[in-house]
Amino acid sequence: MTLCTTQARAGGWPLPPGETEIILSISRLSADERYNSSGNRVWKSNYRKLEISPYIEHGVTSGLTLVGELAYMRESTNFFGREIENDAFSRLKLGGRQVLGEWNDTLFSFQPVVTFHFEGEADDPAATESGDIDGDFGLVLARNEEVAGFAVFSVQEVAWRYRDNGRPDEVRADITLGTRPWDGGMLLVKSLNEGALETTAAGELYRSSKLGVSIVQELPQADAPGWSAEIGIERTVFGRSTIDEATLRIALWRRF
């Protein structure tokens, strides 16, 4: 557990009762191509999105951690020289992570999360609109181990996502691998995968796979106790009926 009890944590382990962690993320997404229904890249209008999303975890009991996220986004599409812009609070997530138990050195947790959508029409393949609600029901596995002499941890999450108003339900499988290669630093490698269980109203069956790498560094504790900074990138490596996106992400972590 030593990898996850310092200032910067990875989701999967519960926060101690009364402790809170906030991660303020700023991400910049760009896309000039999309994957068609056959998985081939094709041209699309230049799309950009800036998103600011504070994420919070709060320990209630030794086994229950509450989670939440509020996102504000500003997006623009350049369609043959015509700039189409939109900015709004896009979503609110509320949920929790309850420890179920430990088996074979792996911690198992159940994580239900409800997402409320606010923007007029989102950029996702299912054309999510304001007032739509998602319900995520995930199983989270967290584990510490040693590989080739290095202490590493892994957090795996498999979830089913219910979506109302005729949008297709989704399945999601995310894996995060992490280690501390130097004092106060944490290296994270992520695989993010999701896909629809049925076709959209437009008859498309979408899916996407992304890879991400980020570094989290604790700031000098004498000057900024409890603070860490993160920088990372994510990139779509495979998809169907979805955009081919590249995302740059910076974040501040605060634990108290």
Side-chain angles (χ1 to χ4, degrees):
M1 293 291 291
T2 55
L3 288 172
C4 299
T5 55
T6 51
Q7 301 300 338
R9 297 172 58 94
W13 285 269
L15 276 177
E19 290 199 9
T20 301
E21 184 169 70
I22 297 176
I23 303 176
L24 177 61
S25 298
I26 301 175
S27 59
R28 176 71 173 178
L29 180 154
S30 62
D32 298 305
E33 294 181 314
R34 70 183 301 271
Y35 290 92
N36 61 18
S37 59
S38 299
N40 300 316
R41 290 188 180 92
V42 295
W43 177 86
K44 74 174 296 294
S45 302
N46 181 280
Y47 176 73
R48 299 288 184 269
K49 181 169 75 171
L50 174 68
E51 184 173 273
I52 302 173
S53 54
Y55 170 84
I56 185 170
E57 290 194 353
H58 178 73
V60 179
T61 68
S62 60
L64 175 61
T65 299
L66 299 181
V67 301
E69 182 188 47
L70 177 65
Y72 168 82
M73 67 88 189
R74 176 177 294 171
E75 60 183 355
S76 63
T77 301
N78 190 315
F79 187 70
F80 294 101
R82 180 190 176 194
E83 196 76 12
I84 304 173
E85 297 182 345
N86 183 37
D87 62 276
F89 285 99
S90 57
R91 66 180 182 273
L92 172 66
K93 292 186 176 183
L94 297 172
R97 185 169 61 251
Q98 174 64 53
V99 172
L100 300 177
E102 186 173 344
W103 179 75
N104 199 24
D105 297 325
T106 301
L107 186 69
F108 290 78
S109 301
F110 175 60
Q111 181 169 280
V113 177
V114 177
T115 303
F116 303 91
H117 296 278
F118 304 137
E119 60 182 308
E121 184 173 328
D123 63 331
D124 68 320
T128 298
E129 297 182 350
S130 177
D132 289 345
I133 298 175
D134 300 345
D136 267 41
F137 304 93
L139 178 65
V140 183
L141 288 67
R143 179 183 177 91
N144 284 302
E145 52 193 315
E146 186 172 305
V147 177
F150 289 92
V152 300
F153 64 85
S154 63
V155 178
Q156 305 173 53
E157 183 176 350
V158 179
W160 167 65
R161 177 179 295 155
Y162 164 78
R163 313 190 85 184
D164 65 353
N165 290 334
R167 297 172 299 143
D169 294 348
E170 298 177 347
V171 290
R172 181 168 53 83
D174 299 336
I175 301 174
T176 299
L177 300 176
T179 186
R180 284 190 171 274
W182 59 82
D183 186 36
M186 183 164 60
L187 174 65
L188 302 174
V189 179
K190 306 174 185 179
S191 173
L192 310 172
N193 309 275
E194 65 180 13
L197 293 174
E198 54 189 2
T199 59
T200 66
E204 296 183 326
L205 186 66
Y206 61 86
R207 64 182 66 173
S208 72
S209 296
K210 305 174 188 176
L211 290 179
V213 178
S214 65
I215 294 174
V216 185
Q217 178 63 51
E218 294 178 7
L219 301 180
Q221 297 304 293
D223 302 320
W227 289 88
S228 300
E230 177 185 7
I231 184 169
I233 57 173
E234 292 178 6
R235 182 63 194 259
T236 304
V237 294
F238 172 78
R240 292 184 187 276
S241 302
T242 189
I243 61 175
D244 178 23
E245 64 182 72
T247 302
L248 172 66
R249 179 175 183 264
I250 60 174
L252 285 176
W253 299 43
R254 175 72 167 102
R255 184 182 176 196
F256 53 92

